[in-house]
Amino acid sequence: MNYVPGTASLIDDIDKKHLVLLRDGRTLIGYLRSIDQFANLVFHQTVERIHVGKKFGDIPRGIFIVRGENVVLLGEMDVDKPCDTILQQVSIEEILEEQRLQQQAKQETEKVKLQVLKDRGLSVPKADNLDEY
Amino acid sequence: MFRFQSLDDDCTLEEEDDGLIDEEDEIDQFNDDTFGAGAIDDDWQEEHKRLAELDERDGLGAGRGPGGGDCSPSPASSAAAGRLPPLCFSSSSSGPQGQDERSGGGDLAESLARFILDADPAVAGVGAAERRGPAPGSAGPVLSAPRGPDQPRVLQQPASIPPKHQLPPGPPASGLPASSVLSYQQQQHLLRRGAAPMAQMNSHSIWDNSMGFGPVSVTPGLVTHMEDSPLMSIIKEVGLPKRPPQGRSDEGHDLSERAPPPRSSSPVIGSPPVRAVPIGTPPKHPMSLNHQVHHPTAVHVRAPVQHRFPAPFPERLSPNTLLNMANSPLCRGPFPPRVGPVLSQLQRAQLLNSQVAGFPRGGPGPPLLAGAGFRPFFGGPPPPHGHRMGPPPPHGPPNHTPPIRHNTTHLHPQHRRMLTQRMQSRGGDRVRTGLDRRSRDPYSNLMSQKEKEWVTKIQMMQLQSTDPYLDDYYYQNYYEKMEKRQEKERDSSRKEHTTKLITPQVAKVEHTYRPVQFAGSLGKLTVSSVNNPRKMIDAVVTTRSDDEEKREKQVWNKRRQVLYTVEKMFSLLLEVQDFEKRFVQTPEEDRDALLEQHKSNTEQLSNSLQDGDWEDRVSDEQCVMIMSVRKGKRLVARLLPFLPAAQAAAVVMAIARNLPAIAKKDKQDQALCCLVEPVSAVIQSLSSSALTDLLQELQGGEGQLAAALQNKFGVTLLFLILSEGERMQSSDPNCQLMDDNRWTELVFSVTRELLGVPSSSLAPPLFTPPNLLSLFSRYVDRQRLELLQDKLQISASSR
């Protein structure tokens, strides 16, 4: 039953598997159980999926309640469709390790960049870190 | 069998003879008890009841902590657990709690435990192994038994089992001090049984560890209890998932007070619905299952139990669920011998159906698949597909499973099965299966219809607009374009109307705030809300015509003016009055200045009363105005003594002249009488001619006297005047009062008036001068005199 035809509503997405991207860059996959007018979401059997390069790892998280303002995008996942063959699933430890390495590399480049800029007398204004993603 | 062996020359056996023989003896004994006359089956119900009571009494809380193994509801085990810390691998935080409660009863258990541990080498050996094994894996919150409020009793039983995992050599979990039902033999058996699963503990994954936590030393009686009660609960629960949705719709409960619906949908959590296949069997090692199968157990296994699981599992197993399932009695190996073949049969059958690493409905599948499905959750490369198949299916085509991979790992195996089914039949019934899936999803409909409607209503509220084209221009345009497009695309013959959103159109209504008013109450109550904030000021706009306004203004202005004048004069008067005092106090040199000031003040005062150009003539208007105000009268009363004689006389004259008006205005205040004293003082200082004039003034025009007579002050004034005249006459024979006929005439008229005026309208004077009688006697005859006397109540004695 289409509750609000002609508009976008999350009512019809209830009890379906969704993928949600949060403002801090996390990707959660779970069953959308409940919503409210602020698009606060209740996820069930949530799995946080970390992607690093071509690899990804799933961390089971249980029940998640996401505050609506932190949602970047939300989409239904097709359970029938097979997962990408390009992506390769790895264990949690491995993916976390990969993530750490990635973060490290990023920090290194940032540092180098800052140094180079400093040498040239320029300064990068501190970005608003609200959306770290 | 063992006995025979012992007879052999095999030396190795001899060494173990004792142990073996002991085992054998105990096993035999157990067998007798179990299958013989002493079978506990008969008592299991009572036992169950009693245990349940005990469990309830002991409370769930203690036993449900993380790793909650120590404080199992069963008193003995906890007591034993307390006493045997090294054997408890999970956090022992909850241990001491339970321990305290059962210290008394646990003594026997504890002694038994010690005895078992010490005496039985096999047990000890097992215990050691156990200790080593699960240690790494115990960190996880594995054994968190569910705290479902609706299944406390049921879950107690099964939950008692997981904790016992951690007491491998079976602290006599079974050694319930109170229950003598579970004999020592049974305990021993349990210990034996406990040793069996040890063999499975060879897996690396944490889940395996947790699953293979070890032997569950549970009494066979308990086992059977647990078999049945959870079964019963599950059977009940099977019915439950259907109920909650209905229940929610039936109850008209307010959303705001909504309590989460009973989570009956996860019957598995914590409860060991299936004990057929020991969860300790990791999918990786199917052999372990077989191994388990072969392990001899003499537990009375209820094979038919298996079939009682219609659909106990949620379609998707959460980690906790799976864990709990894993830790539940499945770790025990009671079932294997019997169940094994049954299981595989079941599995086979279902695998045929499903072609998926099948979760057979209500079968032992879940635990296996739980392990399998679980694995991807926690990392590690997705298990080889064979894992998903669980125990090696006779002919389960694993080839079909590869397509279902990563994103379905957290699906319920049943769900997965359906997915593959769907994949097989591509393009069909997507919706149906979707609905199907949802209908079987025990977690579905967490959001009731009411709640959905509520959210929709809020969304609709936000769409309210009086002018949609103004508020939502782009949407309106878009919609129109879409409709036009649809019209073009479609033939006019088939009119399919897409559902159109009807946004509520709110008419613009002026909502004027009307505060809540109650009849008979003073003022307006401030009942404020978000939409009607409190009205702080009640500004009432009164519309008047200009003329009225002017008149009112004038009147008001005049009065204000009068008051202003009075105030000014008063201030002067006060200064004048204080002059004396000040004069005395000021030093010599300043006295002149003060005198000057005083003079000017008095002058000012007198001037204020004056009527413009004429000296000694008080402006009537001013006088009346001042006299109309109470304060004005007071002012005059205080002022008179300070005025120069002529002025004072003039004032008195003015008063007399305007007495009717003044009297009328005085009706409310009744302050004229304060003037009596000063006026009398003035009168006494009057000359005869002035007096006559005064009398004349008093008489004034027609009816003036009569009006004056109605007023107390008037009468008093009259009397004063008359009395003064009389005094003059009597005291001074040469007074000029008689020179002029005026006085006599005036007196005559007064007398006439007095006689004429009805008594009722004659106001009683403040006081009656004594010499009035003599006055009247001079002018009137006896008859009239008497009348006057009566009227005026002039007593003859008051001479």
Side-chain angles (χ1 to χ4, degrees):
Chain A
M1 165 169 66
N2 195 358
Y3 276 79
V4 201
T7 65
S9 169
L10 289 172
I11 295 274
D12 304 321
D13 285 350
I14 286 204
D15 292 339
K16 293 185 183 150
K17 190 154 121 203
H18 281 74
L19 180 145
V20 64
L21 177 66
L22 303 181
R23 279 198 355 213
D24 62 357
R26 276 189 280 185
T27 307
L28 300 178
I29 296 169
Y31 286 85
L32 182 63
R33 291 296 176 197
S34 188
I35 58 158
D36 73 349
Q37 67 266 34
F38 308 111
N40 294 335
L41 313 166
V42 175
F43 278 99
H44 181 225
Q45 291 170 350
T46 320
V47 160
E48 181 182 339
R49 184 162 288 180
I50 302 175
H51 289 267
V52 178
K54 290 251 190 313
K55 304 187 189 157
F56 75 92
D58 281 347
I59 306 174
R61 295 289 192 187
I63 298 176
F64 243 89
I65 297 177
V66 180
R67 190 179 163 93
E69 65 172 343
N70 295 308
V71 171
V72 171
L73 54 86
L74 166 76
E76 189 184 338
M77 280 186 81
D78 193 350
V79 289
D80 301 340
K81 212 169 170 190
C83 193
D84 276 16
T85 45
I86 309 167
L87 297 175
Q88 173 205 3
Q89 180 162 22
V90 296
S91 71
I92 295 180
E93 296 90 6
E94 202 180 319
I95 198 71
L96 286 173
E97 179 62 28
E98 293 271 346
Q99 196 184 40
R100 190 182 64 78
L101 291 170
Q102 190 190 48
Q103 286 292 97
Q104 213 170 36
K106 198 159 136 193
Q107 272 173 9
E108 297 283 327
T109 52
E110 268 301 308
K111 219 159 87 175
V112 167
K113 194 169 90 175
L114 272 172
Q115 188 59 41
V116 165
L117 282 170
K118 218 160 85 171
D119 290 342
R120 283 165 173 68
L122 302 165
S123 68
V124 179
K126 194 136 196 251
D128 183 6
N129 276 338
L130 274 180
D131 291 343
E132 295 150 28
Y133 171 60
Chain B
M1 204 163 74
F2 289 103
R3 287 197 186 100
F4 298 142
Q5 278 181 339
S6 65
L7 293 172
D8 288 345
D9 297 331
D10 196 342
C11 301
T12 54
L13 279 175
E14 279 181 9
E15 290 169 6
E16 301 163 347
D17 257 355
D18 292 340
L20 285 171
I21 288 168
D22 288 346
E23 279 181 10
E24 171 216 352
D25 285 341
E26 275 141 1
I27 285 169
D28 285 343
Q29 285 171 333
F30 181 85
N31 281 342
D32 285 339
D33 280 332
T34 306
F35 304 109
I40 57 168
D41 274 341
D42 300 334
D43 300 328
W44 74 266
Q45 274 160 332
E46 291 166 21
E47 178 64 18
H48 169 69
K49 273 187 215 154
R50 199 160 16 81
L51 286 171
E53 280 166 2
L54 283 166
D55 290 344
E56 275 180 291
R57 226 193 311 130
D58 293 329
L60 281 170
R64 294 286 177 277
D70 298 336
C71 291
S72 72
S74 137
S77 59
S78 60
R83 299 288 188 274
L84 307 164
L87 299 172
C88 302
F89 303 109
S90 63
S91 64
S92 55
S93 56
S94 45
Q97 300 164 13
Q99 183 185 358
D100 295 337
E101 298 169 28
R102 304 174 199 108
S103 51
D107 290 336
L108 175 60
E110 143 197 13
S111 59
L112 283 169
R114 288 234 181 81
F115 175 81
I116 291 163
L117 281 167
D118 298 340
D120 201 335
V123 172
V126 165
E130 282 276 41
R131 240 169 287 153
R132 267 175 284 132
S138 61
V142 167
L143 299 174
S144 56
R147 274 155 241 194
D150 39 354
Q151 308 158 28
R153 272 196 67 211
V154 167
L155 296 173
Q156 280 180 33
Q157 298 295 329
S160 66
I161 301 163
K164 286 163 190 146
H165 292 191
Q166 307 166 13
L167 313 169
S174 38
L176 301 163
S179 74
S180 52
V181 175
L182 303 167
S183 68
Y184 176 70
Q185 292 164 347
Q186 293 163 358
Q187 295 162 20
Q188 287 295 313
H189 164 73
L190 283 172
L191 293 170
R192 292 296 155 276
R193 256 190 322 119
M198 267 302 298
Q200 312 162 27
M201 300 205 39
N202 46 7
S203 54
H204 343 288
S205 94
I206 47 174
W207 301 118
D208 284 334
N209 280 343
S210 59
M211 289 189 268
F213 243 8
V216 178
S217 34
V218 172
T219 66
L222 269 178
V223 166
T224 50
H225 303 171
M226 285 179 294
E227 279 173 49
D228 280 354
S229 43
L231 280 181
M232 297 306 295
S233 68
I234 284 157
I235 291 160
K236 286 177 212 155
E237 285 147 19
V238 166
L240 279 173
K242 289 166 202 152
R243 259 202 280 125
Q246 298 167 7
R248 286 191 204 106
S249 55
D250 290 346
E251 307 163 23
H253 49 218
D254 192 11
L255 279 170
S256 58
E257 309 151 9
R258 181 173 187 248
R263 293 280 182 265
S264 56
S265 49
S266 55
V268 212
I269 293 181
S271 71
V274 174
R275 258 153 283 111
V277 174
I279 263 248
T281 313
K284 264 191 218 161
H285 310 276
M287 291 313 293
S288 52
L289 169 65
N290 298 333
H291 170 82
Q292 275 238 316
V293 170
H294 294 315
H295 178 78
T297 65
V299 177
H300 179 68
V301 173
R302 294 169 173 249
V305 155
Q306 304 308 317
H307 302 287
R308 285 212 238 160
F309 294 97
F313 290 91
E315 291 199 350
R316 286 158 293 284
L317 294 168
S318 71
N320 289 336
T321 318
L322 290 168
L323 273 170
N324 291 323
M325 274 167 42
N327 296 324
S328 51
L330 290 168
C331 288
R332 284 157 255 126
F335 297 90
R338 311 241 167 163
V339 170
V342 177
L343 277 181
S344 53
Q345 266 178 6
L346 276 170
Q347 273 190 324
R348 241 176 276 133
Q350 280 160 357
L351 284 168
L352 275 172
N353 291 340
S354 66
Q355 302 176 6
V356 179
F359 164 50
R361 264 187 166 280
L368 296 172
L369 293 167
F374 223 27
R375 189 171 299 282
F377 254 128
F378 295 94
H385 310 303
H387 300 172
R388 268 180 253 238
M389 307 309 280
H395 38 279
N399 305 326
H400 293 272
T401 52
I404 321 165
R405 283 205 48 150
H406 315 282
N407 59 346
T408 62
T409 50
H410 47 276
L411 291 179
H412 189 63
Q414 188 180 23
H415 190 182
R416 213 177 297 129
R417 169 168 59 93
M418 287 199 291
L419 279 178
T420 42
Q421 268 179 334
R422 241 172 279 132
M423 267 164 37
Q424 302 293 318
S425 58
R426 235 348 122 100
D429 303 343
R430 266 226 154 132
V431 173
R432 188 181 60 76
T433 46
L435 284 175
D436 234 11
R437 180 197 329 156
R438 241 184 308 224
S439 64
R440 267 182 274 162
D441 178 6
Y443 287 102
S444 67
N445 294 327
L446 281 174
M447 211 175 166
S448 70
Q449 196 62 27
K450 274 196 107 179
E451 284 167 344
K452 287 182 188 170
E453 282 166 15
W454 174 71
V455 174
T456 314
K457 193 164 51 122
I458 291 174
Q459 290 176 332
M460 294 290 275
M461 259 168 55
Q462 293 162 352
L463 297 174
Q464 272 178 12
S465 95
T466 51
D467 187 1
Y469 275 94
L470 182 70
D471 297 329
D472 214 356
Y473 174 75
Y474 292 102
Y475 175 78
Q476 298 293 328
N477 271 27
Y478 158 76
Y479 210 88
E480 279 174 12
K481 279 187 209 160
M482 200 173 72
E483 283 195 320
K484 277 183 205 157
R485 217 182 322 128
Q486 279 173 349
E487 285 290 318
K488 268 188 242 165
E489 284 171 18
R490 292 210 191 93
D491 313 330
S492 52
S493 56
R494 36 183 200 113
K495 289 256 180 181
E496 286 176 37
H497 298 281
T498 50
T499 44
K500 184 173 180 177
L501 176 68
I502 303 167
T503 54
Q505 297 280 327
V506 178
K508 264 194 182 140
V509 178
E510 274 288 328
H511 294 281
T512 52
Y513 172 67
R514 278 191 69 250
V516 177
Q517 284 177 314
F518 291 98
S521 72
L522 290 171
K524 294 170 181 173
L525 299 172
T526 48
V527 174
S528 62
S529 69
V530 168
N531 297 322
N532 285 335
R534 196 158 44 129
K535 216 175 174 190
M536 293 297 288
I537 299 169
D538 207 2
V540 178
V541 175
T542 49
T543 50
R544 271 198 242 133
S545 66
D546 285 341
D547 291 350
E548 277 178 19
E549 227 171 298
K550 269 187 202 157
R551 260 180 273 143
E552 276 181 29
K553 240 183 182 176
Q554 278 168 355
V555 167
W556 225 87
N557 282 349
K558 253 198 177 141
R559 198 172 163 80
R560 258 194 291 178
Q561 191 69 32
V562 168
L563 287 167
Y564 183 71
T565 316
V566 167
E567 286 301 320
K568 267 251 169 105
M569 282 176 71
F570 239 113
S571 56
L572 282 171
L573 177 64
L574 286 169
E575 280 204 18
V576 167
Q577 277 185 324
D578 289 337
F579 167 73
E580 287 274 342
K581 259 193 252 165
R582 283 163 65 204
F583 194 80
V584 172
Q585 283 177 357
T586 53
E588 280 290 335
E589 49 277 11
D590 295 338
R591 280 191 184 172
D592 285 337
L594 198 62
L595 207 59
E596 281 295 321
Q597 201 184 15
H598 175 66
K599 275 195 183 144
S600 68
N601 281 347
T602 45
E603 237 182 84
Q604 255 183 314
L605 273 172
S606 54
N607 286 345
S608 60
L609 284 170
Q610 264 176 18
D611 181 22
D613 305 329
W614 297 6
E615 284 263 349
D616 299 339
R617 178 121 166 104
V618 172
S619 139
D620 277 350
E621 207 181 310
Q622 188 86 309
C623 182
V624 171
M625 276 208 300
I626 290 172
M627 293 295 279
S628 59
V629 184
R630 185 172 357 133
K631 197 157 185 187
K633 290 171 213 162
R634 285 272 174 83
L635 170 71
V636 170
R638 281 170 79 165
L639 181 62
L640 275 175
F642 292 97
L643 285 172
Q647 277 270 298
V651 170
V652 175
M653 296 265 203
I655 293 171
R657 210 182 358 218
N658 300 304
L659 195 57
I662 293 168
K664 198 163 72 166
K665 292 222 169 126
D666 190 50
K667 267 198 195 128
Q668 209 174 14
D669 300 328
Q670 298 290 330
L672 268 176
C673 297
C674 66
L675 283 161
V676 168
E677 268 203 37
V679 166
S680 67
V682 171
I683 290 171
Q684 276 159 14
S685 64
L686 280 177
S687 64
S688 56
S689 56
L691 192 66
T692 319
D693 289 334
L694 185 59
L695 189 58
Q696 194 163 17
E697 295 274 15
L698 189 62
Q699 277 207 290
E702 288 275 335
Q704 187 172 336
L705 188 61
L709 286 173
Q710 282 180 357
N711 186 278
K712 195 180 230 177
F713 176 74
V715 172
T716 317
L717 184 63
L718 177 67
F719 283 3
L720 280 168
I721 297 166
L722 292 172
S723 141
E724 180 58 25
E726 176 59 28
R727 192 189 63 76
M728 261 192 226
Q729 239 179 335
S730 56
S731 61
D732 188 5
N734 295 334
C735 86
Q736 294 153 356
L737 204 62
M738 292 301 148
D739 292 350
D740 203 340
N741 253 359
R742 281 197 305 153
W743 177 256
T744 320
E745 277 176 30
L746 284 168
V747 174
F748 274 138
S749 61
V750 164
T751 329
R752 246 179 284 133
E753 195 69 41
L754 279 170
L755 286 165
V757 158
S759 298
S760 56
S761 63
L762 199 63
L766 234 79
F767 67 92
T768 316
N771 52 0
L772 276 179
L773 198 62
S774 58
L775 174 76
F776 286 126
S777 62
R778 223 194 282 264
Y779 293 100
V780 295
D781 53 9
R782 185 165 287 273
Q783 193 185 4
R784 289 204 191 135
L785 188 64
E786 280 174 15
L787 279 168
L788 271 171
Q789 223 173 337
D790 291 335
K791 218 175 200 177
L792 304 173
Q793 291 159 13
I794 308 166
S795 58
S797 60
S798 56
R799 201 171 238 282

